[in-house]
Amino acid sequence: VEIPFTDEQEDMLYREACELADVNPRQLTLQYKLHPDKIWQGAKHVKYDYQGILTHALKRSKKWWLNALRGLVWGWTLAVNPANDKFWCSEFC
């Protein structure tokens, strides 16, 4: 899906991504040109919520039997909650 946005919006999104990654936008541009395959993040970068993403496994359906099956297979995920200090990919986007 293509989402059109202005140069100003793109700049804002880049700055926000750098803030989440705890990197300086100006330094990152130069570093990325030198090492494009490296993942850049600072010591205080926002962590990815690997456990919290499991809460999507029990998404409700209109089919009762599918909900029952999900409850049997994925019921253990009810004990897993999203972290307050971490994010999912969709939240980053």
Side-chain angles (χ1 to χ4, degrees), residues 1-89:
V1 174
E2 242 179 78
I3 302 172
F5 45 86
T6 65
D7 288 342
E8 292 80 19
Q9 290 172 317
E10 183 178 7
D11 292 344
M12 181 195 66
L13 292 169
Y14 182 72
R15 285 191 304 272
E16 177 70 18
C18 287
E19 186 177 319
L20 291 170
D22 189 36
V23 295
N24 182 315
R26 291 187 178 127
Q27 290 176 345
L28 181 62
T29 301
L30 175 61
Q31 292 171 345
Y32 181 77
K33 287 180 182 177
L34 297 173
H35 306 282
D37 296 332
K38 184 174 179 178
I39 295 175
W40 296 96
Q41 62 189 28
K44 296 179 183 176
H45 71 279
V46 176
K47 306 280 192 273
Y48 189 78
D49 192 2
Y50 290 105
Q51 293 177 334
I53 198 74
L54 293 174
T55 59
H56 288 294
L58 283 177
K59 205 174 247 185
R60 305 297 294 170
S61 170
K62 292 179 182 177
K63 300 176 182 172
W64 68 268
W65 58 270
L66 188 55
N67 291 329
L69 180 61
R70 283 187 179 137
L72 291 173
V73 175
W74 295 102
W76 60 271
T77 62
L78 290 172
V80 177
N81 293 312
N84 292 330
D85 60 340
K86 298 178 183 178
F87 287 88
W88 303 331
C89 182

